[in-house]
Amino acid sequence: MNYDAHFQCSEGCAESYPLTEIVYRCKKCDGLLEVRHDMGVLKQRSPDDWKCLFEKRYRRTGYPYGSGVWGKKELVCPNIDNENIVSMYEGGTNLFWAERFGAQLGLADLWIKQCGNSHTGSFKDLGMTVLISMVKQIIADGGDIRAVMCASTGDTSAALAAYASAAGIPAIILLPKAKVTREQLIQPIANGALTLSLETDFDGCMEIVQRLAARKDFYLANSINSIRIEGQKTISIEIVQQFDWDVPDWIIIPGGNLGNVSALGLGFLMMLELGIINKLPRIACAQAARANPLYRSYKTGFTEFRAITAQPTQATAIQIGNPVSIHRAIRTLKRFDGIVDQASEEELADAAARADRTGLFNCPHTGVALAVLLKMVERKQIRPGDRVIVISTANGLKFPDFKGAYHHLDPDKPVPLYYNAPMELAADYEVVTGEIARHLGNFAR
Ligand SMILES: *Cc1c(COP(=O)(O)O)cnc(C)c1O
């Protein structure tokens, strides 16, 4: 079968370019590009045959198809030779049945998609494997790419640096100074990337990297580059596959630059067109109240959009005021009967900590999504029988200061709702048993 895909203007121009061309926007209208697949060829395989193929490959050993992304290669990026694929076995992440947390909320069918259990600890690996593989393909075809580069709030840079170093391609990373965690900063450093810490915020880094992208020999790895979206969209296919091809009622995802909410939608639309599913879920996009341009636009019925200056938030990966994928995100939300809601700093921290008590270890962005879940349940937008998926976007271990600050008593602030702290005691059996008794009630010593 001759599968094929190309770039197409997403704003309706007739412009189209090969995926191996170094181009990020429509040359006519400057709109973002999207990857279009030859759906006619894809439709020649029946829905059952697609499911069967995906099942056969899922988490198996045949390289690169055991990867959650490359197991869906025909739907992702058929134009790359397998020998140029740079995979670290992305995807295949646990869908955690949040039984206890769900029971507290009266939801029996609540699931957390643990995308942070990945090579670099966030769901950015899903798209980065596709981008770096494409770069390797372009170089193999004789293209002149000297380096890959990105502006980042911490997770894109970690993923880019890891995949680039695995491929032996130099990486240039632009980070807003003091706005990513120590753990995120050390990732590109360890991978040998040129790591530039700039005196600005993410939006400021983005401006500079877009100017650098005028040079064709520096390949831009931000989600403005639609190649990444193709990998990110496998999240939808994988979720449905994990439910034996049933579509959930709601999916809640945190949003910053808004590439991922768009990718989520794309995956479902593609499955619908291929007949793999026959309905769509509803999508809720969750923003930090301190970085909420999409929420503000939603409040106007999406009739207006204004970029803002994002305020500092614990959810640093989504501290973005001028999201690149705003238009495609709005299109997605309209198509999926979507909603947008926001979470304050206190709400996101409490929601993360509350769910942690039921076996999770949430990053602040997942906290934003969980806080929005609580609000949706409260206003009965989500009903007890609904199947709900919360996308957990990064591993909590990348954000220890967020957790540390929560479980650290501040005399100027009220004790957090789910506060817990280690107790320092003398190494004395009686003292230890005394303390345990205080917690668990009396027990035979
Ligand atoms: C990138 C990222 C997001 C948001 O994705 P966008 O596509 O920028 O909206 C959310 N959480 C984490 C941890 C991320 O790294």
Side-chain angles (χ1 to χ4, degrees):
M1 216 75 81
N2 215 356
Y3 300 107
D4 196 19
H6 61 271
F7 283 127
Q8 180 84 40
C9 173
S10 68
E11 300 295 332
C13 295
E15 292 288 288
S16 82
Y17 319 106
L19 294 185
T20 46
E21 187 168 334
I22 300 169
V23 57
Y24 315 108
R25 287 180 177 277
C26 174
K27 293 176 191 171
K28 231 173 157 177
C29 78
D30 208 40
L32 292 188
L33 300 174
E34 61 190 24
V35 175
R36 285 275 172 83
H37 290 262
D38 183 341
M39 296 302 287
V41 182
L42 291 172
K43 279 178 190 165
Q44 287 174 23
R45 198 189 282 259
S46 74
D48 279 342
D49 284 351
W50 279 122
K51 293 178 199 171
C52 211
L53 182 69
F54 297 154
E55 298 286 1
K56 211 169 71 189
R57 292 169 170 174
Y58 190 59
R59 306 189 71 183
R60 302 293 306 203
T61 50
Y63 189 87
Y65 301 108
S67 148
V69 172
W70 296 106
K72 282 92 184 169
K73 183 183 177 192
E74 295 82 356
L75 274 58
V76 170
C77 194
N79 318 50
I80 298 176
D81 299 332
N82 279 358
E83 69 204 40
N84 290 320
I85 287 178
V86 184
S87 170
M88 302 196 207
Y89 209 62
E90 314 68 27
T93 53
N94 182 30
L95 193 53
F96 176 97
W97 180 33
E99 185 182 10
R100 282 195 62 227
F101 188 53
Q104 291 174 12
L105 311 182
L107 299 178
D109 213 356
L110 174 64
W111 304 76
I112 317 286
K113 178 67 172 158
Q114 293 282 60
C115 299
N117 295 348
S118 183
H119 188 73
T120 70
S122 89
F123 69 164
K124 299 291 200 291
D125 291 346
L126 299 173
M128 211 50 88
T129 179
V130 182
L131 181 131
I132 288 293
S133 301
M134 179 52 80
V135 170
K136 212 172 158 201
Q137 180 72 47
I138 295 173
I139 292 172
D141 293 346
D144 173 31
I145 295 180
R146 292 185 56 200
V148 289
M149 63 177 177
C150 73
S152 175
T153 52
D155 290 328
T156 296
S157 45
L160 180 64
Y163 282 88
S165 62
I169 300 167
I172 304 166
I173 306 292
L174 276 64
L175 291 171
K177 190 174 161 191
K179 292 189 176 69
V180 307
T181 68
R182 210 169 61 113
E183 290 67 23
Q184 290 171 314
L185 177 61
I186 203 66
Q187 288 183 291
I189 289 174
N191 288 133
L194 174 63
T195 307
L196 308 173
S197 207
L198 307 186
E199 302 262 2
T200 179
D201 57 6
F202 170 79
D203 297 294
C205 292
M206 195 68 217
E207 251 178 73
I208 293 184
V209 89
Q210 293 207 54
R211 283 182 62 189
L212 281 171
R215 296 182 51 132
K216 295 286 184 225
D217 54 347
F218 290 173
Y219 192 80
L220 181 62
N222 281 97
S223 59
I224 187 173
N225 186 336
S226 303
I227 282 283
R228 264 180 63 203
I229 305 275
E230 293 306 292
Q232 298 292 147
K233 84 181 180 201
T234 58
I235 199 172
S236 328
I237 310 175
E238 189 167 294
I239 287 171
V240 173
Q241 181 173 5
Q242 285 173 309
F243 284 120
D244 297 328
W245 307 101
D246 269 350
V247 177
D249 298 298
W250 277 103
I251 300 190
I252 307 176
I253 184 169
N257 223 4
L258 305 178
N260 278 289
V261 62
S262 317
L264 185 72
L266 257 181
F268 279 105
L269 291 174
M270 201 163 184
M271 283 190 286
L272 188 70
E273 192 173 348
L274 294 175
I276 295 172
I277 57 174
N278 54 24
K279 62 168 189 171
L280 297 176
R282 292 184 69 188
I283 293 179
C285 189
Q287 291 211 295
R290 309 189 83 179
N292 63 353
L294 179 70
Y295 177 74
R296 291 172 191 228
S297 172
Y298 173 70
K299 282 288 168 194
T300 70
F302 293 130
T303 53
E304 279 174 47
F305 168 74
R306 250 184 243 116
I308 61 169
T309 301
Q311 300 303 308
T313 163
Q314 297 169 97
T316 46
I318 54 176
Q319 188 180 321
I320 295 174
N322 189 14
V324 161
S325 294
I326 180 72
H327 297 301
R328 51 184 170 203
I330 290 175
R331 274 200 298 274
T332 303
L333 287 164
K334 286 182 174 167
R335 181 74 175 81
F336 284 75
D337 196 9
I339 70 137
V340 185
D341 207 340
Q342 61 177 1
S344 70
E345 295 301 296
E346 194 183 349
E347 287 167 342
L348 75 88
D350 278 337
R354 181 175 175 187
D356 282 359
R357 291 264 181 122
T358 63
L360 291 153
F361 195 74
N362 295 296
C363 76
H365 324 87
T366 308
V368 171
L370 291 168
V372 165
L373 165 73
L374 295 173
K375 293 182 182 194
M376 292 174 73
V377 170
E378 179 100 335
R379 54 177 184 252
K380 300 192 166 47
Q381 201 162 24
I382 288 176
R383 285 163 313 196
D386 285 347
R387 174 170 286 170
V388 182
I389 319 293
V390 174
I391 308 284
S392 175
T393 48
N395 195 309
L397 289 168
K398 290 178 92 165
F399 301 88
D401 292 348
F402 165 65
K403 300 228 175 271
Y406 191 87
H407 295 291
H408 174 80
L409 270 193
D410 181 341
D412 298 333
K413 287 188 189 152
V415 180
L417 280 173
Y418 305 98
Y419 172 76
N420 190 24
M423 312 198 69
E424 294 183 5
L425 299 179
D428 179 291
Y429 183 79
E430 292 303 321
V431 173
V432 169
T433 50
E435 195 53 48
I436 295 173
R438 249 176 27 87
H439 274 261
L440 297 185
N442 265 330
F443 67 107
R445 294 197 199 176

